[in-house]
Amino acid sequence: MTPRTPRSRFYVVGGPLSRDAPGYVMREADLDLHAAIAGGEFCSVLASGQMGKTSLLIRMVDRLREEGAKAVVLDLHAIGTNLTVEQWYFGLLASAGSQLHLESEVEDYWENHPRLSPLQRWLGALHEVILERIPAPIVFFIDQIGATRSLPFSADEFFSAIRQLDNQRSETPRLRRLIFCWVGVATPSDLIQDSRAAPFNIGHRIQLNDFTEKEAQVLLPGLHRARDRAPEVLRRILYWTGGHPYLTQRLCQAVAEDRAAQSPMQVDRVCGEIFLSREARERDHHLMFVRERLLRSGASPVELLTIYANIWTGKLVQDDPAQPLLDSLRLAGVVRSEDGFLRVRNRIYERVFDHKFVEENLPLDEVQRQRQAERRGRLAIFSWAVAAVALFAALALVAFWQWHRARQDSRAFRNIADTSLATTSNAADEI
């Protein structure tokens, strides 16, 4: 068994990183989110699981508070989903009041307006208590926004109210101090359930991309055991993970704890042990999460897996942000956009969620249908190939016949010319 060292504290796996964590990788999204909020824009950070959303949120909250703004984090999972409409809105308001040190004031407002709807009391407290008492900019981070889909009632009116607040900012100056940023595993079309309403796509969408090799250089100190070969080792880690935040932190940690993992070849071995073996595929909670999103996201698994299989085999599937099935694939985290087309996101996913995985999770009749379609496709290609070969052979035969005929004609012409010349010569001799 490969000797292990004590668990590395440099890397953080399966949880958020604090602002002062040495292994935090700053990305373009850090700068983009801060710039958007500083500019007073509503924002969204919607991405697949374990992309570093919460770590980004923690650092942004700390930074905004240092700059004098008021930052409020409303964690919808913490508020709960098995609630009435009134309990849910009161939970949002109580959490905001507690973080802004206005708990008693917002509770008094709630109690003093019983004839208003829960949404009206929530909005009223924002206008008449929070904005009245706090002159500084106020940023509401609505975390775990996808939890609204699990509520026993529709949250459409909540999102419609936020849209209305955004629309009113141009006419109501104090509303410009109020900024919302929603964070979670969701798409704009997920948030509003009414199919007749427009998707909730207001504000600035923050793209949370995988680590680039340059950004990932901050991870090198944790690989000090590899010494001079640490850059090679990190490069090989990124070869497998493609810069995916969780996969990269996890593989870095495993390599750092493995005393024998001091070369790119050993990185391959460690990657196989923790991600690629059958046991690892069933044990790693991140891979399990991705699998569940692929198979039980609410989209048709047959359609989803069929599109994914096309991408996996290298077929060109154009990226279309308006296509819900492609959104589902992006939220599962298995694909990325490259030059306008979708590709499997990294080599770990390519190995784990392979053609065998697709076949095992498609209904048997669908597998047979696709195999028949593949056979028909191959037969059609073969038929076209045979026809093309036959056509080229026929053209070659015609060309050969024409060439042969031309050669015979040329010989006949030369014979006639030779005979004529001989006749002429004999006639001259007789004279």
Side-chain angles (χ1 to χ4, degrees), residues 219-398:
L219 300 174
L220 274 175
L223 302 172
H224 59 85
R225 188 181 300 279
R227 298 182 182 177
D228 294 344
R229 303 199 71 181
E232 291 179 66
V233 169
L234 178 59
R235 198 171 298 117
R236 193 62 179 179
I237 288 170
L238 295 175
Y239 166 85
W240 284 107
T241 68
H244 184 285
Y246 167 81
L247 297 177
T248 302
Q249 292 272 354
R250 176 78 177 90
L251 188 50
C252 280
Q253 183 187 68
V255 168
E257 294 170 2
D258 191 315
R259 294 179 185 175
Q262 300 180 30
S263 69
M265 185 179 297
Q266 291 300 319
V267 171
D268 295 351
R269 173 184 59 79
V270 175
C271 182
E273 290 175 358
I274 67 172
F275 290 127
L276 305 182
S277 69
R278 178 171 291 276
E279 296 76 15
R281 300 179 191 203
E282 299 297 328
R283 186 174 62 246
D284 185 84
H285 68 278
H286 174 77
L287 297 179
M288 292 169 62
F289 170 83
V290 174
R291 183 167 59 247
E292 288 299 303
R293 291 290 307 189
L294 274 173
L295 302 180
R296 296 173 182 84
S297 65
S300 165
V302 171
E303 293 181 86
L304 202 64
L305 289 175
T306 300
I307 295 174
Y308 173 73
N310 288 335
I311 297 169
W312 188 88
T313 55
K315 294 180 181 178
L316 294 179
V317 176
Q318 193 164 15
D319 187 13
D320 181 1
Q323 169 58 259
L325 281 172
L326 300 185
D327 261 342
S328 295
L329 280 177
R330 277 188 289 268
L331 281 187
V334 291
V335 297
R336 60 183 169 82
S337 183
E338 183 179 301
D339 299 326
F341 296 94
L342 294 176
R343 302 283 186 269
V344 179
R345 189 167 178 179
N346 54 62
R347 289 178 174 85
I348 292 175
Y349 289 164
E350 193 173 55
R351 293 285 190 90
V352 174
F353 306 108
D354 55 9
H355 195 265
K356 182 179 179 182
F357 165 81
V358 172
E359 285 198 346
E360 287 176 347
N361 289 282
L362 280 176
L364 183 59
D365 57 343
E366 179 63 21
V367 173
Q368 292 173 341
R369 186 194 69 76
Q370 292 194 10
R371 285 178 176 172
Q372 289 173 355
E374 289 176 4
R375 283 195 292 269
R376 287 196 297 270
R378 287 195 294 267
L379 181 61
I381 293 172
F382 178 75
S383 300
W384 278 103
V386 169
V389 169
L391 177 61
F392 284 129
L395 291 173
L397 186 62
V398 169

Side-chain angles (χ1 to χ4, degrees), residues 55 64 172 178 209 267 269 318 350:
S55 298
L64 291 172
T172 309
L178 189 63
N209 298 320
V267 171
R269 173 184 59 79
Q318 193 164 15
E350 193 173 55

Side-chain angles (χ1 to χ4, degrees), residues 58-195:
I58 289 171
R59 290 173 65 88
M60 192 55 56
V61 166
D62 286 346
R63 182 174 179 180
L64 291 172
R65 287 173 178 170
E66 287 178 357
E67 294 172 351
K70 299 294 183 180
V72 177
V73 180
L74 301 180
D75 186 339
L76 299 191
H77 277 172
I79 291 172
T81 54
N82 189 22
L83 305 168
T84 64
V85 176
E86 186 165 349
Q87 288 172 328
W88 191 72
Y89 278 106
F90 179 75
L92 294 177
L93 191 57
S95 180
S98 176
Q99 295 177 60
L100 295 170
H101 307 293
L102 294 173
E103 192 168 10
S104 60
E105 288 89 339
V106 296
E107 287 188 15
D108 288 344
Y109 183 91
W110 185 273
E111 295 296 332
N112 293 333
H113 296 81
R115 300 184 68 179
L116 297 180
S117 71
L119 175 62
Q120 289 172 328
R121 281 189 274 181
W122 152 254
L123 290 173
L126 282 181
H127 284 280
E128 299 180 33
V129 179
I130 294 176
L131 285 172
E132 282 289 334
R133 301 293 182 90
I134 298 177
I138 308 165
V139 184
F140 280 89
F141 291 95
I142 314 295
D143 196 16
Q144 306 293 347
I145 195 71
T148 56
R149 301 185 67 189
S150 301
L151 292 169
F153 53 87
S154 171
D156 286 4
E157 66 169 10
F158 173 70
F159 294 110
S160 297
I162 293 178
R163 193 199 303 272
Q164 190 63 23
L165 286 173
D166 186 42
N167 293 337
Q168 293 171 350
R169 298 171 86 212
S170 59
E171 301 173 358
T172 309
R174 70 176 184 176
L175 282 180
R176 297 170 196 165
R177 293 189 287 111
L178 189 63
I179 299 167
F180 282 87
C181 177
W182 37 100
V183 182
V185 181
T187 65
S189 59
D190 286 337
L191 300 179
I192 292 186
Q193 298 176 21
D194 187 350
S195 59

